[in-house]
Amino acid sequence: DQQVKQNSPSLSVQEGRISILNCDYTNSMFDYFLWYKKYPAEGPTFLISISSIKDKNEDGRFTVFLNKSAKHLSLHIVPSQPGDSAVYFCAASALRDNFNKFYFGSGTKLNVKP
Amino acid sequence: ETGVTQTPRHLVMGMTNKKSLKCEQHLGHNAMYWYKQSAKKPLELMFVYSLEERVENNSVPSRFSPECPNSSHLFLHLHTLQPEDSALYLCASSQERGLYGYTFGSGTRLTVV
C-alpha cells in the first residue's frame, strides 16, 4: 500500500511562472518530509525539508507547505526556470531509532518551457 | 572523491549470471541504503544498514543479497535474477537519523535478459 502519493505524473509550466507540485500521505505518524530533485542519469538530490512543527519552509525560489490536517504537502517554485526541469520526489518519514525510513512518492516530471 | 559512488553505471546480465553492485560513500555517514526504482513506481526501500548492521529487509527476494563490510562500502550481490528485476538500483547514505535526508548515488541501471 502506497503511503506517499504524487498523483500528477507530469507538469508543464512556462518559464517565470509558478510551479506547484503536490504530494499526499496516508500515515498520520509521518512527521518529517523531504523533496528531492532528479535529473536523468543522476541520483536524486535533496532539495528542501519540513518537519511537522512547521507549516512552511522557504529556501530561495523553493517553498514547501505542509497541511497536516489534510495530510498534504506541496512544493512551490517561483519563478520557474528551464533548469528546474526534472523529476521531483516527495518523501515522508516518522523519526525513530537511529535512522530514518523514508517512503517516497512515484515522482512528478516537471517541464519548464522557455 | 566525495559523495556516493556506485559502480557499474550500467549492467546487463543473464538470468543465470552472478554479479555484484558496489556502493562507496566518502561522507562519514553511518547508515547506508539500497533502493530500487522501477518505471513509474515509487522508490522502493530494499535494505538498510545502520552502523554496519542490517536493520531493515523489506521482504526482498533472496536472489538479492546485501553486504556491508564497513561503514563506507555497501554491496548488492545478484544471482538468478528475473527480467522483472530490471530497474535502476540506487544506493544512499545518511548521517545519524538522516535529518537532512539521504545522499544518493547516481544508480546502476540493471537489465536482466
Side-chain angles (χ1 to χ4, degrees), chain A residues 32 36 41 43 98 100-101, chain B residues 9 50 56 96-97 99 102 105:
Chain A
Y32 197 71
Y36 284 86
N98 61 344
N100 275 340
K101 179 177 178 178
Chain B
R9 293 294 303 270
S50 178
E56 191 91 9
E96 296 178 348
R97 302 175 74 188
L99 286 178
Y102 304 159

Side-chain angles (χ1 to χ4, degrees), chain A residues 89-108:
Chain A
F89 294 95
C90 68
S93 174
L95 295 180
R96 66 181 175 96
D97 300 328
N98 61 344
F99 71 95
N100 275 340
K101 179 177 178 178
F102 282 96
Y103 294 85
F104 285 81
S106 51
T108 296

Side-chain angles (χ1 to χ4, degrees), chain A residues 55-111:
Chain A
D55 53 20
K56 176 183 173 181
N57 189 25
E58 192 172 348
D59 183 2
R61 297 185 296 112
F62 301 91
T63 303
V64 56
F65 294 91
L66 176 63
N67 182 334
K68 290 185 287 292
S69 60
K71 296 191 182 69
H72 176 83
L73 66 156
S74 60
L75 175 68
H76 293 211
I77 307 172
V78 55
S80 302
Q81 299 174 355
D84 296 328
S85 297
V87 178
Y88 290 78
F89 294 95
C90 68
S93 174
L95 295 180
R96 66 181 175 96
D97 300 328
N98 61 344
F99 71 95
N100 275 340
K101 179 177 178 178
F102 282 96
Y103 294 85
F104 285 81
S106 51
T108 296
K109 186 174 183 179
L110 174 66
N111 179 33

Side-chain angles (χ1 to χ4, degrees), chain A residues 37-53:
Chain A
K37 176 179 179 180
K38 184 181 185 300
Y39 292 116
E42 294 182 13
T45 55
F46 170 74
L47 193 58
I48 193 168
S49 66
I50 189 167
S51 75
S52 58
I53 62 172

Side-chain angles (χ1 to χ4, degrees), chain A residues 4-62:
Chain A
V4 178
K5 296 180 182 178
Q6 293 176 257
N7 292 318
S8 298
S10 64
L11 175 68
S12 188
V13 171
Q14 201 67 37
E15 180 179 6
R17 307 294 281 266
I18 185 170
S19 295
I20 300 176
L21 298 106
N22 294 303
C23 179
D24 297 291
Y25 61 96
T26 57
N27 189 337
S28 58
M29 297 299 291
F30 287 152
D31 53 9
Y32 197 71
F33 306 87
L34 305 174
W35 282 94
Y36 284 86
K37 176 179 179 180
K38 184 181 185 300
Y39 292 116
E42 294 182 13
T45 55
F46 170 74
L47 193 58
I48 193 168
S49 66
I50 189 167
S51 75
S52 58
I53 62 172
K54 293 186 173 182
D55 53 20
K56 176 183 173 181
N57 189 25
E58 192 172 348
D59 183 2
R61 297 185 296 112
F62 301 91

